[in-house]
Amino acid sequence: MTRLVTLAKELFPMLLMLLATGGSLLVATPSAGADPNSANCKPNRATCKTNGQCCSGVCTTGLCSASTPTTTSTTTTLAPTTTTTTSTTTTTVRFVDNMNGTVTDNQTGLQWEKKDNTCPGIHCVTDTYTWCVAGSDAFTCANGGVPDGPAFTSFLRMLNGGDTGVGNCTVSDADGSHAGGFAGHCDWRLPTIDELVTIFDSTQGNCVGGEGVCIDPTFAPTANEYWSSTTLARDSNVAWCFFFSTPGFTDENFKPGGTGSFSVRAVRGGQPD
């Protein structure tokens, strides 16, 4: 009996230690992957059956292997931006037929008389005039070269509503109002030589090959040579004319008709010389 008591006393501490050790083992809960600090896990390349046997927590084809890091990929798609620019081009016709016997030049702002084939008539394309009244001969003006020939006293007077002219101009355009006159205006005049040159156009089809006149067809029938209101600086008996047949050139002619009488085309607007 005494021997059993003595043996129990010897075994009791060992039992306590065993119970303590057993309790620790019973309380421990294994994780899905092995604890790398556990002495029971297997290193990489060791044989295994489950992930829990490996220190890395990865068992692949019967061998422990390193864990594969998880990679997160982010893709950003940029939508293309398209900018559309709309351009509007406006083309302005230079010569406009006003449908009242006149043409407006949108480049110079001048308004021109149209000629026609109603002959005799104030707009007859074949009518010709002299610039001044002749003096002792057809090369000298009677009154020093002033504009007193039929081009002014007959043609322009009629357009501007003279005694028997078109309408009856009682107030001039320069005063801001008017009544009567060709196309409702009373300030028709002969163009300067520079103004005549502006309506010459060598690109016109009827000018090609040296035949026909070089002018936009909006102007209707056109003669070859026209008087200007510009006097030659060195001789008051001579005025400039412009020749519209190809190739187009200026020409000097005696106002009283010594070198011939020529056509006229009225204009208004602008700043005459």
Side-chain angles (χ1 to χ4, degrees):
M1 185 68 176
T2 302
R3 187 175 182 83
L4 291 173
V5 172
T6 301
L7 182 61
K9 289 180 180 181
E10 291 176 354
L11 294 175
F12 184 73
M14 295 177 63
L15 181 60
L16 292 175
M17 183 177 295
L18 181 60
L19 290 172
T21 304
S24 173
L25 291 174
L26 291 173
V27 171
T29 302
S31 61
D35 182 358
N37 296 318
S38 173
N40 295 322
C41 66
K42 295 183 179 183
N44 292 343
R45 308 294 298 173
T47 59
C48 62
K49 292 183 179 179
T50 65
N51 290 338
Q53 292 179 315
C54 301
C55 295
S56 64
V58 178
C59 178
T60 305
T61 63
L63 294 175
C64 290
S65 60
S67 59
T68 303
T70 301
T71 302
T72 301
S73 177
T74 302
T75 302
T76 302
T77 302
L78 297 177
T81 301
T82 302
T83 301
T84 302
T85 302
T86 302
S87 177
T88 302
T89 301
T90 302
T91 302
T92 301
V93 176
R94 179 178 175 183
F95 297 110
V96 177
D97 189 339
N98 298 314
M99 308 305 292
N100 61 353
T102 69
V103 174
T104 294
D105 182 350
N106 283 321
Q107 181 173 300
T108 63
L110 295 173
Q111 184 177 9
W112 295 86
E113 172 211 7
K114 290 179 65 174
K115 309 307 287 189
D116 59 34
N117 290 309
T118 302
C119 303
I122 189 64
H123 306 296
C124 177
V125 67
T126 59
D127 283 351
T128 59
Y129 301 83
T130 55
W131 209 96
C132 74
V133 174
S136 57
D137 54 48
F139 300 95
T140 306
C141 293
N143 300 304
V146 298
D148 57 2
F152 299 92
T153 60
S154 176
F155 172 69
L156 288 179
R157 181 176 176 80
M158 287 280 287
L159 288 185
N160 288 321
D163 295 338
T164 58
V166 180
N168 182 23
C169 288
T170 56
V171 182
S172 69
D173 288 72
D175 293 332
S177 62
H178 54 270
F182 171 52
H185 295 284
C186 303
D187 58 347
W188 295 99
R189 58 183 174 80
L190 290 192
T192 66
I193 189 62
D194 290 337
E195 289 171 336
L196 276 175
V197 172
T198 64
I199 59 174
F200 172 79
D201 187 354
S202 61
T203 67
Q204 291 302 315
N206 56 355
C207 182
V208 178
E211 296 181 2
V213 290
C214 307
I215 193 170
D216 192 282
T218 308
F219 285 89
T222 297
N224 284 328
E225 193 164 5
Y226 283 82
W227 282 115
S228 80
S229 61
T230 307
T231 297
L232 191 68
R234 66 174 183 270
D235 191 343
S236 62
N237 296 297
V238 177
W240 288 102
C241 290
F242 189 78
F243 199 77
F244 277 90
S245 293
T246 187
F249 57 89
T250 55
D251 191 19
E252 304 171 8
N253 286 291
F254 285 95
K255 295 176 180 180
T259 47
S261 58
F262 300 98
S263 302
V264 288
R265 186 190 294 274
V267 70
R268 61 175 300 275
Q271 298 295 325
D273 293 337

